[in-house]
Amino acid sequence: MVEAPTILRRGDVYHALYSANFYGDDTYAVGHATAPALEGPWTKDPEPVLSTETTDGLYRGPGGQDVVTTPEGDVIVFHAWDGAYVKREMYTLPLRWDGDTPVITPPG
């Protein structure tokens, strides 16, 4: 399942950040794809840009993302499970770009 698409345009490239997999466990994650036009064709990155694994378990099942541009740069806003899988909590992390690749680095 794919949901919650966030579309951004940077220069001549369209970027889609989206949530995929089952939201109720650690497989839920944020993917990334690019396209030369809004209509596509879209090319999906092979690995998620934000996941339980990429954050060493700090954020469990992250998804439902959006991007906010601030004077200090882009920020990704997302939700993830608390440690007991009782509730989803909201988080923010800096989002920087390495060319056309979004880079999300958890604290620590």
Side-chain angles (χ1 to χ4, degrees):
M1 175 198 294
V2 172
E3 63 183 2
T6 301
I7 307 294
L8 310 165
R9 184 174 178 188
R10 294 181 41 84
D12 293 334
V13 178
Y14 286 89
H15 297 266
L17 295 171
Y18 57 89
S19 301
N21 303 322
F22 177 61
Y23 85 98
D25 62 25
D26 284 351
T27 64
Y28 200 56
V30 177
H32 173 251
T34 57
L38 192 55
E39 300 82 17
W42 289 90
T43 302
K44 178 181 162 184
D45 290 356
E47 298 296 327
V49 294
L50 181 63
S51 67
T52 303
E53 186 176 300
T54 65
T55 66
D56 291 327
L58 183 59
Y59 303 104
R60 302 183 73 176
Q65 74 296 319
D66 205 346
V67 176
V68 177
T69 299
T70 73
E72 293 79 32
D74 290 339
V75 174
I76 188 167
V77 180
F78 62 96
H79 53 82
W81 288 104
D82 68 334
Y85 281 90
V86 172
K87 61 185 175 189
R88 304 275 293 167
E89 299 175 322
M90 184 176 288
Y91 300 95
T92 63
L93 287 173
L95 170 63
R96 63 181 180 80
W97 296 87
D98 182 6
D100 287 333
T101 303
V103 179
I104 303 163
T105 306

